Amino acid sequence: MSNKINWAHVEKMIEQYGREVYFRFYGLPEICDPTNTAFAIGVDVQPPWKIPPKIAVSTAITGALYSKRNNPNQPVTPEEIYNSAREACLAGAQIVHIHVRDENGYSVLEPDLFHRVIAPLKKEFPDVLFDGCLVPGREEDWPKLVQMLKDGLLEVTPINTVATYNGDNLFCNPPHVMIEQTRIVQEHGLKAQVAVYSDGDIDNADRYLIKTGLLEKPYHFLILPALPGCSPMHNPRAMVETLMHSYNRIMDIDDTAVVMVCAAGRASSYLATLAVLLGLNIRIGMEDTVWKWPHRNEKLTNNAEVFKSYKQIVELLGREIATADEYRQMIGLPAKNAGK
């Protein structure tokens, strides 16, 4: 027994008051009514949360970051990227995010490679929405960007409002570049998705794209934290605090903005699950992380497996994966199957 408890006093109180537990039933015949109170009429004391029943789940196939040294399963060649994207579509993926890589494994803006990967996918899966990263890193990439926009392979592309050391590399999108890219993307009818890596990027988007009136509503943000150089998430507390901070800053700008959260870095599946709990949308897949879980070192195997895992999580949490057309409606794009 504990030697810090005053047992003599406990025994005295038992002798004086007995061992009765006190109840007063003010709401009978109900002991605890989960929805009403006996003291008011028509007051729902625990209404359903305002969580959207549908969730957009984007599957990002490979990205620009990881090599087969990081994850031997990483799709790198056009054939590997195509096959991985096709497997994800067959598993039910409705939104597929594409990068293409050159012969050295580096992400490039090459229309021929994008056509090689996406064109056969669009033919086989005509309802799927394809988006892709079209970063004009060099002056000679701008005509390629315009060609890609005209070719109609993609419906969404990110605008990175970023200046950070991503890993050991500087990734800086100057204000005039993000402004010009946003203008061209919107003029060609694509949705400009604002990709933010930290809260400073959110402020950049607000200053240069939103307050200027350039970015068209509904605003669509992609939160990509947890990578080296991005908003750090080195433990569960940091993950929760940092995501809530970023999300709240976006809501300060516009509480109707459509927000998608990447399963990124070590935070990986836990971060995406938190986003599902918050009623947000998620981007999953092998672009943003190599790990299945934050606390273990098993690597992702393929994008179809990733999609199936998150589909199960989404459904267990009472939500349903949105169709591509439902996602188009969320972000202000015309439905593909309208009138069918």
Side-chain angles (χ1 to χ4, degrees), residues 154-332:
L154 306 173
E155 298 179 62
V156 178
T157 191
I159 307 294
N160 302 290
T161 58
V162 62
T164 187
Y165 286 102
N166 193 204
D168 294 331
N169 302 284
L170 177 63
F171 180 19
C172 178
N173 203 11
H176 62 283
V177 175
M178 66 177 74
I179 288 170
E180 178 68 356
Q181 188 180 0
T182 302
R183 178 189 70 81
I184 293 174
V185 164
Q186 292 185 155
E187 285 182 355
H188 285 85
L190 278 75
K191 186 65 180 181
Q193 180 190 64
V194 180
V196 295
Y197 297 62
S198 70
D199 56 356
D201 302 344
I202 297 170
D203 191 56
N204 291 341
D206 190 32
R207 287 185 293 153
Y208 299 128
L209 304 182
I210 294 174
K211 286 180 176 175
T212 59
L214 176 62
L215 191 67
E216 297 172 359
K217 283 194 168 186
Y219 304 140
H220 184 18
F221 280 84
L222 177 74
I223 301 177
L224 208 172
L227 301 177
C230 305
S231 293
M233 293 182 172
H234 299 314
N235 56 63
R237 290 179 292 101
M239 180 188 75
V240 174
E241 292 169 358
T242 302
L243 178 58
M244 290 307 306
H245 176 77
S246 295
Y247 176 54
N248 287 334
R249 298 297 73 75
I250 293 171
M251 292 297 98
D252 288 343
I253 295 169
D254 181 7
D255 62 7
T256 68
V258 179
V259 178
M260 181 173 282
V261 179
C262 294
R266 265 294 178 185
S268 60
S269 55
Y270 281 31
L271 176 57
T273 302
L274 176 59
V276 178
L277 290 169
L278 290 171
L280 307 180
N281 306 290
I282 56 175
R283 187 172 90 175
I284 61 174
M286 300 176 74
E287 171 166 350
D288 302 314
T289 188
V290 299
W291 293 293
K292 291 183 178 181
W293 304 288
H295 59 302
R296 291 164 59 173
N297 288 323
E298 288 91 334
K299 299 294 179 68
L300 297 177
T301 304
N302 62 72
N303 284 293
E305 178 186 60
V306 175
F307 175 82
K308 291 174 184 177
S309 297
Y310 282 97
K311 184 175 186 293
Q312 186 177 26
I313 291 171
V314 164
E315 291 173 349
L316 285 171
L317 293 173
R319 300 184 70 190
E320 182 182 346
I321 291 180
T323 67
D325 261 354
E326 287 168 336
Y327 174 57
R328 290 182 181 102
Q329 185 177 14
M330 288 181 199
I331 62 176

Side-chain angles (χ1 to χ4, degrees), residues 36-44:
N36 300 287
T37 169
F39 295 92
I41 299 173
V43 175
D44 189 348

Side-chain angles (χ1 to χ4, degrees), residues 16-48:
Q16 184 173 351
Y17 297 107
R19 290 178 287 190
E20 181 182 358
V21 176
Y22 296 95
F23 289 101
R24 296 294 183 269
F25 298 106
Y26 299 117
L28 292 177
E30 299 293 337
I31 301 299
C32 179
D33 190 326
T35 57
N36 300 287
T37 169
F39 295 92
I41 299 173
V43 175
D44 189 348
V45 298
Q46 287 191 327

